[in-house]
Amino acid sequence: MTRIAVIGGGRIGEALVAGLLEAGRATKDLVVAEQMPARAKELAQEFGVRVTTVADAAEGADVIVVAVKPGDVDAVMSALSEVELDAEREQLLVSLVAGIPTSRYEPKLPAGFPVIRVMPNTPMLVGEGMSVLAPGRYVKDAHLDLVRDVLQSVGKVVTVAENQMDAVTAVSGSGPAYFFLVVEAMVDAAVGLGLARKTATEIVVQTMIGSAAMLDRSNEDAHELRAAVTSPAGTTSAALRVLEQNGLRSAFIEALHAAKDRSAQQGVTNE
């Protein structure tokens, strides 16, 4: 089995570990590097995996997953410099770090060492993640196949050119937060209409689940499905008119552009 070292025990690292275990990956095939003692203990107790240092975790790993904050990448690469890495042994590094290009990693690794950049999102925690891959210069088809196989166990996977990754970060990487904000707003509005918060939450969440399932399983796109729900001069039409008048569509356009710009900035300011 593929031995996977997850460097970083934060939200994304935890989501990946939890998702892989839920998908049937054995604990012996996973190791986590986490420098905060309290967090390391928490992860070991919750998931039953070995939690250790960066160098120890990477030693002998087939896939080294870097899942830290952008500002911590240099410290991770410094620790990896102490490890005897070998590109010819088909080891590879997978970066889940927002905004950091593969070119940041490649010069600090052995010549020809393959690096794959991934934009994940937290729904991988429940096996419904969206992971977008971008291969570095030395990546072979076999490397992509391996990473796809790992990440498909926690959701869907697509591949794009690396120059599209900042846009991907804005859409799917940050996307769950937009979704949760909409849910928050709908629940608050429902409470304002007189529903109990627990009832409102159940109604809104199931409405979102059902709507997403329709999008996933239907041959119709979002525009067509929305139109099918919207009767002329009906309740849905009245609500959508208010949302459009208040700039919902333009707000999302501006928000995603802001997220894309911030992702690009992270890749520059952390050089």
Side-chain angles (χ1 to χ4, degrees), residues 1-6 16 20-21 24-31 57-65 89-94 142-151 153:
M1 293 294 292
T2 302
R3 185 171 182 271
I4 302 170
V6 179
L16 178 59
L20 289 172
L21 291 174
R25 183 83 50 172
T27 55
K28 65 181 180 63
D29 296 323
L30 295 173
V31 60
E59 192 72 49
D62 300 299
V63 180
I64 302 167
V65 180
R89 200 178 70 81
E90 296 305 306
Q91 285 181 300
L92 69 148
L93 185 143
V94 177
H143 298 134
L144 281 173
D145 290 342
L146 174 58
V147 175
R148 285 194 195 101
D149 181 63
V150 169
L151 293 175
S153 65

Side-chain angles (χ1 to χ4, degrees), residues 131-217:
S131 298
V132 183
L133 315 184
R137 288 187 296 169
Y138 309 113
V139 171
K140 302 175 183 176
D141 288 343
H143 298 134
L144 281 173
D145 290 342
L146 174 58
V147 175
R148 285 194 195 101
D149 181 63
V150 169
L151 293 175
Q152 279 172 348
S153 65
V154 293
K156 293 187 177 182
V157 181
V158 300
T159 303
V160 301
E162 189 166 10
N163 61 10
Q164 296 179 309
M165 287 298 277
D166 291 325
V168 167
T169 299
V171 178
S172 62
S174 300
Y178 315 149
F179 179 89
F180 298 143
L181 179 60
V182 171
V183 170
E184 282 184 63
M186 287 183 67
V187 170
D188 287 344
V191 171
L193 294 173
L195 294 175
R197 184 165 295 275
K198 181 178 180 180
T199 300
T201 300
E202 184 175 0
I203 291 172
V204 172
V205 170
Q206 183 55 40
T207 299
M208 293 295 188
I209 292 171
S211 301
M214 288 183 69
L215 274 171
D216 188 46
R217 301 170 193 171

